[in-house]
Amino acid sequence: GADLKERAKMHSSEVSSFVSRARATINELANLPVPTIAAIDGTALGGGLELALACDIRVAASSAKMGLVETKLAIIPGAGGTQRLPRTIGVSLAKELIFSARIVDGEEAKSIGLISHVVKQNEAGDAAYRRALALAREFLPQGPVAMRVAKLAINQGMEVDLVTGLAIEEACYAQTIPTKDRIEGLLAFKEKRPPRYKGE
């Protein structure tokens, strides 16, 4: 999250600019055309959780601490938290967590759908990071164009009705048809070998 000691020294006009830049940066992360995974091994409060919410997948250690705690400071999440948390865990529960400024651990975060995976923390303190790497290794062999347009179809489709979402999916699927990677995938399947995708 933000450095609150630094924030206390900022003029009110500086705060708006700071939050606006944070929001823009977090939106850029959300819009990256590749899968993103947040590994939470420690604390993700306020802006830290907003950053994690902008990722496609979140993994946390059971001992991790997460929360949008801004209401304790008489402000609200300003870098996407009021929009991404409800879309992740549902409106009512998001309101409860934001209104109470509650901090949850990895186990509770998993039970409410805030994270996809919870792992027991290891001695090195990097259990979530290791699990995130394992997930990334599962994603890596897939066709790069397919990964990009699948993310686009999911992200855009979640913001519209089903009929419009299906049209978005159709348009995204169409982008994969003329690719060399699609032909490579079919050949690799036929020849019983791993595909060698080039993102073309």
Side-chain angles (χ1 to χ4, degrees), residues 7 10-20:
R7 273 285 191 71
M10 285 183 182
H11 187 272
S12 55
S13 62
E14 294 175 296
V15 174
S16 293
S17 176
F18 175 86
V19 173
S20 182

Side-chain angles (χ1 to χ4, degrees), residues 92-120:
S92 183
L93 193 50
K95 286 178 178 178
E96 181 181 327
L97 292 182
I98 291 171
F99 295 168
S100 67
R102 184 177 308 139
I103 297 172
V104 298
D105 65 14
E107 295 294 341
E108 186 174 357
K110 172 72 169 112
S111 75
I112 64 174
L114 178 56
I115 61 173
S116 301
H117 302 274
V118 61
V119 291
K120 186 173 174 16

Side-chain angles (χ1 to χ4, degrees), residues 70-94:
E70 288 86 349
T71 55
K72 278 187 179 179
L73 303 171
I75 58 174
I76 67 169
T82 65
Q83 301 307 301
R84 290 192 175 97
L85 187 63
R87 285 169 168 81
T88 302
I89 66 171
V91 174
S92 183
L93 193 50

Side-chain angles (χ1 to χ4, degrees), residues 62-74:
S62 55
S63 59
K65 301 293 179 205
M66 293 157 267
L68 294 178
V69 297
E70 288 86 349
T71 55
K72 278 187 179 179
L73 303 171

Side-chain angles (χ1 to χ4, degrees), residues 175-195:
Q175 293 180 43
T176 67
I177 295 171
T179 64
K180 293 177 184 176
D181 281 353
R182 184 182 71 85
I183 302 303
E184 168 60 15
L186 294 170
L187 280 173
F189 179 80
K190 180 181 172 187
E191 297 169 4
K192 296 181 171 50
R193 63 168 173 81

Side-chain angles (χ1 to χ4, degrees), residues 19-32 46-55 78-81 84:
V19 173
S20 182
R21 284 192 312 273
R23 184 182 312 109
T25 301
I26 288 172
N27 284 338
E28 284 183 32
L29 172 66
N31 293 323
L32 284 174
L49 183 54
E50 288 177 305
L51 187 68
L53 284 164
C55 292
R84 290 192 175 97

